[in-house]
Amino acid sequence: MKVSTGASMSIDGFVSGPGETGFEHLFDWYGNGDVEVPTGHPEMTWHMTRASADRNKRWLDELGALVVGRKLFDFTNGWGGKHPMEVPTVVLTHNPPTGYEDNKWFAFETGGIEAAIARAGELAGGKGVGLNSGRIASQALDAGLVDEVWVDLVPVLLGGGTPFFDQLGTKPVLLDGPLETVQGNRVTHLRYAVRK
Amino acid sequence: MKVSTGASMSIDGFVSGPGETGFEHLFDWYGNGDVEVPTGHPEMTWHMTRASADRNKRWLDELGALVVGRKLFDFTNGWGGKHPMEVPTVVLTHNPPTGYEDNKWFAFETGGIEAAIARAGELAGGKGVGLNSGRIASQALDAGLVDEVWVDLVPVLLGGGTPFFDQLGTKPVLLDGPLETVQGNRVTHLRYAVRK
């Protein structure tokens, strides 16, 4: 089972700017092309360049389940009931929320990052597991559980905020690649393997 | 006069790791190819891939003078008397050192980043001015004086240290590009324009 983490990142390494800002720049490439990309939410359709849409499809084709943090889950209000990528989503949390007992899309895991990834693996139907950036990505990398890093590099300097790998413990971490370099509109899609 | 800043940078945005570490990874591409690249120091020859050597030559062809910080100047002990790129080098400092009165390669500027860049421009012989990363780059960017950012992106996570743009004041800063993407061995050379 392949475990990958991916995110839109500024040149200076942030997946969100100071005070949860900068998303209009980081996610510009989701909307600046002419290829319609539907999501699991009928009211939300992306418009990517052909290059970005193809790259996004490769990411989704490999993706069987997600592991996300509680902060993002709360920030998006549980994406209104399911993640837009329409895959089972394991939320790592100390205190599972109530009200999701009948929701088939979310599972809540209190046993730490290894348990969360294992559970996502069971739900992934033979495909890979995708991880949130931030603390989730760092914890998994520290545990030696990340195989690939997909960086959507955006030409903006945010000057602070949340790093892609937040509070990394074991360092440095050598990567190999890029295995792939794809140029979109205001994004360079890079894919790296984590050297084990 | 074009003003550019360039540096080898980790995926997570650092030009040196915690406690001045990580240089063996950041500068690996200076020595992992088979093209000999002489420097201003006879005892120091780089060995780059053809792609990196050509890119390095484009950088040098445009470069007429440098602006560096006092910390780097001291850390390298004044590069033994001249910068390996063999161009006039303006050192931004509050207290000019003694012992360099007869050295034609170095100028010491106490008047701030704008004065340092102006002085480098006078010394550049019609070519461009190159800036150190770190505080120098941030101060110049905050002053609206940077035209291009050359990033040599290295597949390593350093997890801390000195950011390429250290303590950026005005943010976010939008860039355009990459104007150029060149793949070397363990480095992806990217070049961006600063949007004004």
Side-chain angles (χ1 to χ4, degrees), chain A residues 7 14 29 34 55 64 71 101 103 106-107 113 124 135 137-138 145 150 163 181 189 195:
Chain A
F14 298 103
W29 65 274
D34 55 11
R55 206 279 194 158
K71 186 178 159 194
E101 292 73 11
N103 183 308
F106 293 114
I113 188 68
R135 281 295 292 147
S138 289
L145 296 175
W150 296 52
T181 305
H189 305 285
R195 192 180 289 185

Side-chain angles (χ1 to χ4, degrees), chain B residues 4-5 12 27 39 54 56 62 71 77-78 80 95 105 112 119 128 140 159-160 170:
Chain B
S4 307
T5 178
D12 49 352
F27 300 138
T39 75
D54 288 350
N56 183 61
E62 291 189 9
K71 186 179 159 193
N77 194 23
N95 297 296
W105 293 101
R119 190 151 169 198
T170 308

Side-chain angles (χ1 to χ4, degrees), chain A residues 48-69:
Chain A
M48 299 179 178
T49 61
R50 169 55 60 197
S52 289
D54 289 349
R55 206 279 194 158
N56 184 61
K57 185 173 184 308
R58 284 197 294 283
W59 168 257
L60 291 179
D61 284 349
E62 291 189 7
L63 189 72
L66 288 166
V67 176
V68 304

Side-chain angles (χ1 to χ4, degrees), chain A residues 9 11-13 18 25 141 151 153 155-159 165 168 171-178 181 183 186 188 190 192 195, chain B residues 9 11-13 18 25 141 151 153 155-159 165 168 171-178 181 183 186 188 190 192 195:
Chain A
M9 185 182 88
I11 298 282
D12 49 353
H25 306 302
L141 201 57
V151 178
L153 191 67
V156 64
L157 301 169
L158 294 176
F165 292 97
L168 196 59
K171 54 210 175 191
V173 177
L174 284 168
L175 307 179
D176 285 308
T181 305
Q183 187 59 45
R186 297 199 63 72
T188 306
L190 301 165
Y192 295 94
R195 192 180 289 185
Chain B
M9 184 182 88
I11 298 283
D12 49 352
H25 306 302
L141 201 58
V151 177
L153 190 67
V156 65
L157 301 169
L158 294 176
F165 291 97
L168 195 59
K171 54 211 175 192
V173 177
L174 284 167
L175 308 179
D176 285 309
T181 304
Q183 186 58 44
R186 298 199 63 73
T188 306
L190 301 164
Y192 296 94
R195 192 180 290 185

